[in-house]
Amino acid sequence: MSVSRRRAIHISTVALTAFVASLEPVAGQAPAHASPGQAPSEANFFIGTPAGWKRPTTPWGDPDLQGTWPISFVGSVPFERCAGGAGRARGGAAPPPCDPQKAFLSEEEFNARVAAAAGRGDRYADAIKAGDFGSAFQSGIVDPTVPQRQTSLIVDPPNGRLPAMTDEGKRLSSLMKSSWALPGEQQVFESELDFDTWDRCITRGMPASMFPFRYNNGVQIIQSPGYVVLNMEMIHDARVIPIDGPPAPSSAVRQWLGVSRGHWDGATLVIETTNFKAGASATNIGIAGSPEGNRFPTSERMRITEKLTRLNDQMMLYEIRTEDPVVLTRPWTARFPLKMDNSYKWWEYACIEGNRTIPDYISASRAERAAQSK
């Protein structure tokens, strides 16, 4: 992956100031059928809708969501609450104990996060200047994140944690394999079946594909009459979603990302997805604050409902609800804002099934075991 692919990690004071300003209502003249406006609050994740804002529409009259919406925008927020993402600042004190019932930071706490981020150095530029190309690569491939007020991507259950697994879910989890070790696990790699679908460059699956990773976070929304496409940078997956189209095919048709059907509920795009091929993990260690080991199973009965609502010219609110009665004791929901960034640089995710990584892991594992048996 080219280091030039990445934006520098440094978030300038100017950029942060512009971001904070984008959360406030913007004064302006009210065109016909314009929004009455909505002040920032917890209900809209502190993203204001300007009074007089006119929601953009496509030439055929649908709400216009087109553009690039990098999920790294919320990459600083842990997946589960009190599971990381608020570490000790350089030279500062440890963060206070985490409150599992606290869904948002106070304004004072959020402003402190913004100020700390504004003071970050440009690790990529500093490493290049010092000739430390290894550090430059490590910092340059990571997508920059933006401070957020929410304390977890999961908003339901109210404690911001995944629900408990059923007995069958626990059984399925115990059978899963991954290159990402569980604590204390002694791994053995003997075939491709000892790896997860992300290891093998097949897919991240759902719902994991819709959460922020350390890199390759681009999500491009493309619309045409009767269709919406969610084109994803990582593992070059593309979800083609018919709008008000025919019902999903029979349950005999199974796909890693499921079969999606969409419709408009006012200005909100609602996507319902069924017909999943079981096997991918519902969570992924690449998402901060996730369970370890990539062993959270999915079943063919999983059903996912997504809602995408544009709040102003720059911001969208995204919601994803996952229910899987085979694996979960109850459904869970994540909700978070996304910011349009059409300047985001989209590069090839050069990872394909059958790449040499899997054979190399297997041969190394066999060699290590052979050496230990001597």
Side-chain angles (χ1 to χ4, degrees):
M1 186 182 302
S2 169
V3 173
S4 64
R5 174 256 183 278
R6 295 294 160 195
R7 280 77 61 216
I9 298 301
H10 172 64
I11 303 176
S12 70
T13 303
V14 173
L16 282 168
T17 301
F19 161 66
V20 174
S22 74
L23 303 186
E24 300 297 332
V26 179
Q29 295 182 346
H33 309 296
S35 166
Q38 187 173 13
S41 67
E42 289 189 4
N44 56 19
F45 284 57
F46 299 94
I47 299 168
T49 299
W53 177 66
K54 188 175 182 180
R55 191 178 308 278
T57 58
T58 63
W60 54 94
D62 287 343
D64 193 341
L65 303 178
Q66 295 180 99
T68 300
W69 306 84
I71 317 180
S72 52
F73 181 71
V74 291
S76 64
V77 182
F79 180 65
E80 293 190 282
R81 190 170 302 146
C82 302
R88 182 191 302 267
R90 182 177 297 179
C98 183
D99 181 354
Q101 301 304 319
K102 184 177 181 177
F104 293 95
L105 300 176
S106 68
E107 185 174 1
E108 181 181 5
E109 291 169 324
F110 173 66
N111 289 338
R113 292 272 183 93
V114 171
R120 293 175 192 162
D122 188 335
R123 294 189 294 132
Y124 173 76
D126 292 344
I128 288 291
K129 185 177 180 180
D132 186 353
F133 299 112
S135 295
F137 177 78
Q138 289 297 320
S139 61
I141 64 172
V142 178
D143 286 338
T145 63
V146 175
Q148 305 289 335
R149 287 191 66 163
Q150 68 186 107
T151 58
S152 63
L153 298 175
I154 295 177
V155 297
D156 185 60
N159 66 358
R161 308 287 291 190
L162 287 164
M165 289 187 194
T166 62
D167 289 341
E168 177 64 7
K170 295 174 184 177
R171 186 189 73 83
L172 293 172
S173 177
S174 70
L175 300 176
M176 297 177 73
K177 300 293 183 68
S178 173
S179 69
W180 300 91
L182 293 169
E185 181 182 19
Q186 297 297 315
Q187 293 179 295
V188 172
F189 301 112
E190 192 58 46
S191 80
E192 76 281 3
L193 300 180
D194 293 322
F195 299 84
D196 63 43
T197 58
W198 191 34
D199 292 330
R200 297 167 61 187
C201 301
I202 297 173
T203 184
R204 289 173 293 168
M206 287 288 286
S209 288
M210 300 308 299
F211 289 96
F213 284 67
R214 299 181 184 97
Y215 49 80
N216 291 104
N217 281 282
V219 174
Q220 181 186 29
I221 298 181
I222 304 167
Q223 293 174 243
S224 66
Y227 288 90
V228 173
V229 178
L230 301 184
N231 187 30
M232 292 176 283
E233 183 180 17
M234 189 179 285
I235 311 197
H236 30 75
D237 279 326
R239 299 174 57 198
V240 181
I241 302 159
I243 303 299
D244 295 324
S250 77
S251 59
V253 178
R254 300 286 176 184
Q255 300 186 60
W256 288 116
L257 299 180
V259 176
S260 296
R261 294 293 184 264
H263 67 271
W264 294 102
D265 181 6
T268 297
L269 174 62
V270 180
I271 304 170
E272 298 184 60
T273 306
T274 56
N275 295 54
F276 286 98
K277 176 180 173 68
S281 177
T283 66
N284 194 293
I285 194 66
I287 309 169
S290 293
E292 297 181 280
N294 289 4
R295 318 289 171 88
F296 205 101
T298 56
S299 82
E300 293 183 347
R301 292 181 62 190
M302 182 169 68
R303 183 183 188 90
I304 290 178
T305 303
E306 299 161 276
K307 296 180 180 180
L308 293 77
T309 308
R310 194 160 181 172
L311 300 180
N312 57 42
D313 284 338
Q314 292 184 304
M315 306 297 297
M316 176 201 306
L317 195 59
Y318 174 77
E319 177 180 299
I320 180 167
R321 182 179 190 270
T322 301
E323 49 188 310
D324 191 335
V326 174
V327 173
L328 298 167
T329 55
R330 58 157 292 177
W332 60 276
T333 300
R335 189 181 303 119
F336 47 86
L338 292 175
K339 184 177 183 181
M340 183 186 292
D341 181 6
N342 290 331
S343 67
Y344 180 90
K345 303 300 182 184
W346 194 290
W347 291 71
E348 178 188 13
Y349 185 79
C351 184
I352 58 171
E353 187 177 9
N355 70 82
R356 61 173 292 171
T357 302
I358 302 303
D360 285 352
Y361 266 70
I362 293 171
S363 60
S365 177
R366 290 173 177 171
E368 289 173 354
R369 283 177 280 143
Q372 291 170 358
S373 65
K374 292 181 179 179

